[in-house]
Amino acid sequence: MATAAAHQTYGAEKAGADTTAYERAFDAAVAADERIEPRDWMPDAYRATLVRQMAQHAHSEIIGMQPEANWITRAPSLRRKAILMAKVQDEAGHGLYLYSAAETLGTSREELLDKLHAGRQKYSSIFNYPTLTWADVGAIGWLVDGAAITNQVPLCRCSYGPYARAMIRICKEESFHQRQGYELLLALSRGTAEQHAMAQDAVDRWWWPSLMMFGPPDDESAHSAQSMTWKIKRHSNDELRQRFVDICVPQAESLGLTLPDPDLKWNEERQHYDFGPIDWTEFKEVLKGNGPCNEQRLTQRRRAHEEGAWVREAAAAYAAKHNDITGAMQA
Amino acid sequence: MTAPRTTPVPTTAALALGDDALVLSHRLGEWAGHAPVLEEEVALANIALDLLGQARVLLSMVGDEDELAYLREERSFRNLQLVEQPNGDFAHTIARQLYFSTYQHLLYTELAAGDGLFAGLATKAVKEVAYHRDHAEQWTLRIGDGTESSRERMLRATAALWRFTGEMFQPVEGLDVDPSALEAAWLDAVGGVLRRATLTVPEGPRSGAWTAGAGRQGVHTEPFGRMLAEMQYLHRSHPGASW
């Protein structure tokens, strides 16, 4: 077992120990499928990759509240309204878990939020699409949460312990949301002709952006190889995308809805569904900030943060005063 | 409700309590994605969900919850004018919550202690409401006794909403508890929190001829109609559809 050497504390390195010995121990721990913990030594690039990925993941939860919160005040029944409110609340909770997990790597929530607001860290491209009808809430649950789960379930075995543990909790709630989204679409699909059309329109608009959530094709994915060696990532983008398509096709059939891809068909030889080409130009434009809602999402996030500044300052001032009182009483 | 119904449900009272919870829940739902810190995204949604749960039980005692929520017009709603007031800044939202949760906590404690038709609901809800009240009190202290500018905001908010607080103590037909009996305890509790928050208790009238009992009679303030227009539009666009 590599444990003893790998789990030396991070600080020990500063005492002049041999870095390459730590590297060997780290590599051995990863190879043995052991979890790396916050106080363990880790390569700087591993730390930086994790901070980038976890921050982006946390930001996606926070920005991802917006397209759905857009429908809370217009939800068509009290039951659906309660489900949607609970879901948006869960997303805020997921953001909190993920910022806490990222903080174990030596960054802070404030720092990460500042980077998000400055446009220096990204969030999932999918949340730059608008929710135009109630059915979009269902399409997000079924497709967007479905794609997120396909991506995230392997992260429950990620080599970094705090991230893996956060993902176990998050995936449980996400699969619940995904079923609720599916059930919402099913109700619409089986409802009136107008409701059915609303559901189909939403699936037509969300299908391709959902496939883009798996990232660029394998031959263009910059971080993939290293992340797979480090066991941050367990499957390639294209593998996960294929898995998602294979899951969705029969689900769409049972929903009574079609997927907007004329090339979609079962390939007996591959035992997978073939599907049409993705518009990577659109994907790149959205990533560059030119999607339908990039400006709106970031502006709302910045505004909430700026308008809330006085509240955070008040809480800090109150805490300082009352700690002083406690301090004075103890003195 | 599990208790067998030996007497008909007092519609006016159930609608009054149910509409209060429904409308305030809706207002809190408007905060989603706009809160000053992530923890408040969680807290405000949590309170909104508790209230929505209470509203659903209460409206279901009278009829179909969705018909009642989505197909009544402004003049048929029986909620307090206080709960329909726009969110304003965070201080306004907290002041509204402090005033309402303190009242609701006192009321539900009394209802839970009795054996009327609302006792079952109140017994469950009073635990949630105690949390809402604590949340509002803690924030009143932080905003009131925080910075100079936060104190100014809390003073403005508590003063602006003060005029709507008298209505809470008007009698409600069919309610086992006479709300006017709660008034002294409410003034004492709210006054205590405001003073601990270094704030003054507002001096203006708590209601006048223009507001006394108005919401309970279906007479509302201007922002309420727009709130309902948004809340009801989709349901009304698809008559008879299920969701």
Side-chain angles (χ1 to χ4, degrees), chain B:
Chain B
M1 301 301 293
T2 49
R5 281 183 195 165
T6 49
T7 49
V9 173
T11 304
T12 309
L15 287 181
L17 302 185
D19 290 349
D20 282 351
L22 178 72
V23 170
L24 185 54
S25 166
H26 185 93
R27 285 297 190 206
L28 292 171
E30 294 172 352
W31 269 103
H34 300 270
V37 280
L38 269 177
E39 285 81 353
E40 281 306 295
E41 294 285 1
V42 178
L44 295 173
N46 205 319
I47 296 169
L49 270 170
D50 287 345
L51 290 168
L52 185 54
Q54 294 164 16
R56 295 181 67 191
V57 172
L58 286 156
L59 295 182
S60 297
M61 290 168 81
V62 178
D64 179 89
E65 61 178 30
D66 287 335
E67 276 179 33
L68 289 164
Y70 292 100
L71 299 176
R72 275 183 297 158
E73 295 183 358
E74 293 93 312
R75 295 279 283 111
S76 303
F77 276 81
R78 293 288 175 262
N79 54 283
L80 297 163
Q81 291 184 347
L82 174 68
V83 296
E84 75 202 27
Q85 295 312 303
N87 288 334
D89 67 6
F90 191 68
H92 276 77
T93 291
I94 291 300
R96 186 183 64 196
Q97 202 65 43
L98 175 73
Y99 291 163
F100 181 74
S101 295
T102 306
Y103 154 80
Q104 200 191 16
H105 189 231
L106 294 169
L107 177 63
Y108 279 27
T109 302
E110 287 295 310
L111 289 171
D115 57 359
L117 282 165
F118 300 112
L121 164 92
T123 302
K124 181 175 177 289
V126 77
K127 295 172 200 145
E128 298 166 350
V129 175
Y131 159 75
H132 306 169
R133 181 179 171 177
D134 182 53
H135 174 263
E137 289 183 2
Q138 294 300 325
W139 270 115
T140 302
L141 293 175
R142 277 156 185 75
I143 301 173
D145 190 13
T147 63
E148 202 40 55
S149 72
S150 72
R151 182 169 179 275
E152 284 298 317
R153 283 178 187 263
M154 202 66 214
L155 281 169
R156 276 202 295 276
T158 48
L161 295 168
W162 191 244
R163 72 194 64 180
F164 299 108
T165 59
E167 195 186 355
M168 296 189 284
F169 307 103
Q170 297 291 320
V172 176
E173 187 192 325
L175 200 59
D176 307 315
V177 172
D178 176 8
S180 67
L182 308 173
E183 190 161 14
W186 184 89
L187 281 168
D188 195 45
V190 167
V193 175
L194 295 181
R195 278 186 290 272
R196 278 168 57 213
T198 75
L199 302 166
T200 48
V201 177
E203 283 175 356
R206 296 190 28 250
S207 62
W210 67 95
T211 56
R216 294 283 188 236
Q217 313 300 321
V219 177
H220 294 278
T221 57
E222 286 181 350
F224 186 55
R226 269 193 300 280
M227 191 205 99
L228 283 189
E230 181 171 344
M231 181 173 110
Q232 297 181 336
Y233 108 90
L234 181 58
H235 187 96
R236 285 179 180 270
S237 302
H238 297 264
S242 344
W243 300 94

Side-chain angles (χ1 to χ4, degrees), chain A residues 99-111:
Chain A
Y99 286 122
S100 300
E103 285 180 336
T104 65
L105 292 164
T107 180
S108 70
R109 199 208 300 185
E110 291 69 25
E111 193 181 340

